[in-house]
Amino acid sequence: MTTRRAVCPGSFDPVTNGHLDIIGRAARLYDEVVVAVLINKTKSSLFTVDERVDLLVECTAAYPNVTVDSFHGLIVDFCRDHGIQVIAKGLRAVSDFDYELKMAQMNNGLADVETLFMPTSPLYSFLSSSLVKEVATFGGDVSGLVPDPVLQRLREKLGG
Amino acid sequence: MTTRRAVCPGSFDPVTNGHLDIIGRAARLYDEVVVAVLINKTKSSLFTVDERVDLLVECTAAYPNVTVDSFHGLIVDFCRDHGIQVIAKGLRAVSDFDYELKMAQMNNGLADVETLFMPTSPLYSFLSSSLVKEVATFGGDVSGLVPDPVLQRLREKLGG
Amino acid sequence: MTTRRAVCPGSFDPVTNGHLDIIGRAARLYDEVVVAVLINKTKSSLFTVDERVDLLVECTAAYPNVTVDSFHGLIVDFCRDHGIQVIAKGLRAVSDFDYELKMAQMNNGLADVETLFMPTSPLYSFLSSSLVKEVATFGGDVSGLVPDPVLQRLREKLGG
Amino acid sequence: MTTRRAVCPGSFDPVTNGHLDIIGRAARLYDEVVVAVLINKTKSSLFTVDERVDLLVECTAAYPNVTVDSFHGLIVDFCRDHGIQVIAKGLRAVSDFDYELKMAQMNNGLADVETLFMPTSPLYSFLSSSLVKEVATFGGDVSGLVPDPVLQRLREKLGG
Amino acid sequence: MTTRRAVCPGSFDPVTNGHLDIIGRAARLYDEVVVAVLINKTKSSLFTVDERVDLLVECTAAYPNVTVDSFHGLIVDFCRDHGIQVIAKGLRAVSDFDYELKMAQMNNGLADVETLFMPTSPLYSFLSSSLVKEVATFGGDVSGLVPDPVLQRLREKLGG
Amino acid sequence: MTTRRAVCPGSFDPVTNGHLDIIGRAARLYDEVVVAVLINKTKSSLFTVDERVDLLVECTAAYPNVTVDSFHGLIVDFCRDHGIQVIAKGLRAVSDFDYELKMAQMNNGLADVETLFMPTSPLYSFLSSSLVKEVATFGGDVSGLVPDPVLQRLREKLGG
C-alpha cells in the first residue's frame, strides 16, 4: 500500500470552523494531509500569508498527519511536486458546485490528480471567510464560527 | 397583538419596479415597513445614498406604513435598534437563493431575526438595478422597468 | 391591526423536527398558525390523515396559537375559507426552490395569498419525511430527526 | 496504515461507461473497492440483480482490487458490516448534487461513514442508465455509452 | 438557402399558453415548425393523443407554417424521417435545464440534430400542464393560463 | 425565405475551443453568423479588441458564412443595425443559465430579438477564457483547450 496524500487548498483568510471540519475529516481519510494556502497577489486579504499559515498550524496541532504550507501558481503543480494524488474540498451549496466542478475537470485534464468533494457539515453550510470578516468588521459576534486563536487575531486586527 | 415590523434592506441604486413590487406587498403583510438603504463605502454607486433615499421616499409615498432610512454595518444591529423582527426579501432566481440563504442563516445565528422571502413577480424576475443601469447607460429604454421619478433622474445622470 | 393568520401546508407523513422548527418559528411571527395536512388520495402514505393530524396536535401542544387541520383541493381555497393571508413554507435547498417558486407564483395568480419562505435551520437542511421513512424501514436510528411521539409510532408501524 | 475500503453503491440497471469511469478511478484511490448493487423490490428493473452483478463482474475484471456485491437496506449498515469507511459517488450535475448532499449528510449522521464525490468525466456528464434504456428500447445506438457485454445483453433483452 | 425545419416536441396534456408562446416564436424563427405530441403508453394522461393533436391544430391555426403530428420512440428518429435539423424547446427554470441539457447532449450524440432553447416568457415561467390540471381538477380558475378551446375541454373532462 | 442572421457575442479574451464549437454549429444553423467582440472599457483584458478580432478571423476562416466584428453598447442595438434576429449562445452549466436567462428576457423586452441557447459539447463544459488564462499564466498546458493560433499568442504574451 502506498501512502495516500491529500491537499486541502484555499485562501483561509482566515480559517473557519467549516475549514477545520473538512481538514479534520480529511486527516482521518488520508495518511498525510497538506493544508496549502494559496498566494494570490492580485486579491487583497485581511491576514498575510504568514499569519494565515501560523493560524492554521496552531489550529491543526491536534492532527499529527496534517502539515501546513503555501503555494502560488497551479495546484496541480503543487500536487506533482509533493507526490499528492488527491485534492480534498468541501462542498457547501450549489453555487460552490458549479465552479468547483469546472476546476476539478480542468485539473483532471492538466494532471493525474483527482478532486474529491466532501459535503460540508450542515452546521457550517452557510459559513465562509468573507462572511466572517464582514460580520467581525462591524463588531458582530463570530465566536462559534471560527476557532479561538482566530477570534483573538480578528479582534486585534479589527479592534473589535 | 404586538406591532409587526419588517425591514426591506438593499442598495436600491436605483429602486426598480421589482423592488416596489416587494415593498408594496410587504406593506400589506406587516404593520410597519422600513426600507433601509445600505451604506457601502467600498462599492461605487450611480446615485448617492441621499438621492436613493429621496427616490424611495417619493416612490413609496402611497404606502402610509412605509418609511425610508439608511444604515451601515450589520442589518441585524439595525433590526435590534428599531425593534424589527423580520427581514423581507424578494427571491428571483436560484442565483439569488444560494447567497441569500447563507446570509439568512448567518443573521439568524447572530440575532433573533427571521428572514422571510417573497417570490418576485414573474414579470420582474429578470430585473435588477445593475441591468437597468447597464441598459440606460447605452441609451436603452428602461421605462416599464423603473418608476417615473427614477426614469427622469437616470436621464439627468446619464444624459440619455 | 388585523389578525395575521398563516398556514403551514404539507403531507407531514410523518412530521419531522424540520417541520416543527418551521412551525415553531411561524408561531412567533403570526398571530395564528394553522398546520394543514394535505389529503392526497392518489399518493400512498405510511400514516393515515387522522394519525398525522393527531401526531401534529401532540407535537405542537406547546404553541397556544397553533391549530391543526386537514384539507383537500387547492390551498388557496383553504386560505380563503379560513381568512388566511400567508402560506408559510420552509426552504431547504435549490431543488425545493424551483418547485416552490412555481407553486407560489401560481397561487398568487389564483388568489390574493402570499407565500413566505423561511430558510430551514442548517441542522435540518437534509431532512425529509421520505428519508426518515426510508431509514426507519431498515431499522436505522431516526431519534434526533423526529419528535418522540413520532419515533414511537414509527416503531409500532414498522416493527423496528 | 490501515486498508482503505470504499463502496460504489447504485442500481446499475445496467452499468454504463460513466459508472465504469468512476469505478476505475476509485480503484486507483482506495486499496479495495466494493461495487454494491442495491436490491430495491419496490422499483421495477430491466435486469435482475444477478444479471447486474454478473455484468459488473465481467466489466470490472481488469481491476484486481474491485469486487462486486449486492445489498438491501441501508448503505451505512453495509459499510459497517464490511469495514468500509468511504462511499464513493460520481457527481454529474446540479440535480444530482442536491439529492446526494442530503443523503450524504443523513448517512454521516447515521454512522461514521464519509461520502466522497468525484466529478464525472465531462464525456459522460449526460449519461444515465435510464437514458440508455430509453434509447435502446427504441432501437437507438448506445455503443460508446455502455461496455460491450451490456450492449449485447441489451440487444437480447430488447430484441434490438 | 435550405428550408429550416424545427420540431417542438412534448406531451401537451394539454397545451398551455406557455407552449403557444414558444410555438409562436419558433414559427417566426424557422421556415416550418412541426409540433409533435409524444405517444407515451406508460404514462397516464388526461387527454388522448388525438384530443391533444386536435387542440393543438385548433390553437395554432393562425400560423400557416406550423403543422401538428404525433410520434413514439426517439425524437431523433422523428427528426431524421422528417428532415428536421432543430429541436426547439422552452426553458423555464433551473430544474428544466439540468434534464434538458442531458437529453440535448444525448440526442446530439445519437444524430446530427441540434437542440435550441428559448427562454420562456417571464409571464409563463411558472406554468406547466400538470399545474394546470391540478388547479382545474379542484375547480380553480385557469383562464389566462390556457387557450380558450382548452379551457372548454377541461371543463367538459373535469365537470368544472 | 428571408436570410437568417445570428450573432455570437462575447469577450473572446481569448477564443477557446468551446467558443469555436458553438460558432461552428451556429454556422450550420443560420445563413450568416456574426461573431461580435464586446468592447468593455471598464474590464481589463489580456488581448486587445483588435487582437481578439484577428484571432477570431483566423480561427473561423473555414466557415464562409461567418464574419467577425466588434461592438460596444447594447447587443440589441447591434442586432437592429445589422438586421440580426437571433443571439446564439452556448450554455455550459447552471451558473451560466441564471444570468443568461435574465439577459435574454431583458433583451427580448428591449427589442424584437430572440436568444437561442445551444448546449455546450460535454467536452468543453468546464472551459472558459478565464480558466485558460489562469492556467497559461502559470505555465500550465492549454493545448487542446484553445486553437493553435491562440496557443502561440498566449505563449508570446505570457512568455510561457
Side-chain angles (χ1 to χ4, degrees), chain F residues 29-112:
Chain F
L29 289 167
Y30 305 96
D31 299 314
E32 298 177 8
V33 172
V34 184
V35 183
V37 177
L38 172 65
I39 303 170
N40 185 343
K41 281 167 183 163
T42 64
K43 209 175 140 190
S44 70
S45 65
L46 182 63
F47 293 93
T48 68
V49 170
D50 282 350
E51 289 172 325
R52 288 182 258 161
V53 167
D54 287 350
L55 280 170
L56 278 163
V57 168
E58 188 173 351
C59 298
T60 61
Y63 305 109
N65 62 334
V66 171
T67 54
V68 184
D69 205 341
S70 63
F71 76 106
H72 98 299
L74 300 178
I75 183 69
V76 292
D77 290 336
F78 183 85
C79 291
R80 239 179 319 211
D81 294 348
H82 293 73
I84 290 171
Q85 303 89 15
V86 170
I87 302 170
K89 303 219 86 174
L91 267 190
R92 284 167 307 182
V94 162
S95 50
D96 285 353
F97 171 74
D98 244 34
Y99 174 76
E100 295 292 349
L101 190 67
K102 277 187 206 169
M103 287 303 298
Q105 292 178 334
M106 181 66 129
N107 284 330
N108 198 243
L110 284 173
D112 197 18

Side-chain angles (χ1 to χ4, degrees), chain D residues 51-138:
Chain D
E51 290 173 325
R52 288 181 257 163
V53 167
D54 287 351
L55 280 170
L56 279 163
V57 168
E58 190 174 348
C59 299
T60 61
Y63 305 110
N65 61 334
V66 171
T67 55
V68 184
D69 204 341
S70 64
F71 76 105
H72 99 297
L74 300 177
I75 184 68
V76 291
D77 290 335
F78 183 85
C79 291
R80 239 177 322 209
D81 294 349
H82 293 73
I84 290 170
Q85 303 89 15
V86 169
I87 301 171
K89 305 217 86 174
L91 269 191
R92 282 170 306 183
V94 162
S95 50
D96 285 352
F97 172 72
D98 244 34
Y99 175 76
E100 294 292 348
L101 190 66
K102 278 186 205 170
M103 286 302 299
Q105 292 177 333
M106 182 65 128
N107 284 329
N108 197 242
L110 285 172
D112 197 17
V113 175
E114 290 282 352
T115 304
L116 296 188
F117 296 106
M118 270 179 275
T120 295
S121 156
L123 271 172
Y124 302 123
S125 62
F126 63 88
L127 190 53
S128 72
S129 296
S130 345
L131 265 182
V132 163
K133 283 182 284 188
E134 197 183 321
V135 170
T137 299
F138 295 110

Side-chain angles (χ1 to χ4, degrees), chain C residues 55-116:
Chain C
L55 280 170
L56 278 163
V57 168
E58 190 174 348
C59 298
T60 61
Y63 305 109
N65 62 334
V66 172
T67 55
V68 184
D69 205 341
S70 62
F71 75 106
H72 97 299
L74 300 177
I75 184 67
V76 291
D77 290 335
F78 184 85
C79 290
R80 238 178 319 211
D81 295 347
H82 293 73
I84 290 171
Q85 303 90 16
V86 170
I87 302 171
K89 303 217 88 175
L91 268 189
R92 283 170 305 184
V94 162
S95 50
D96 285 352
F97 172 73
D98 244 33
Y99 175 77
E100 294 293 348
L101 189 68
K102 278 186 204 170
M103 287 302 300
Q105 291 177 334
M106 181 65 127
N107 283 329
N108 198 242
L110 285 172
D112 196 18
V113 175
E114 292 282 353
T115 305
L116 296 188

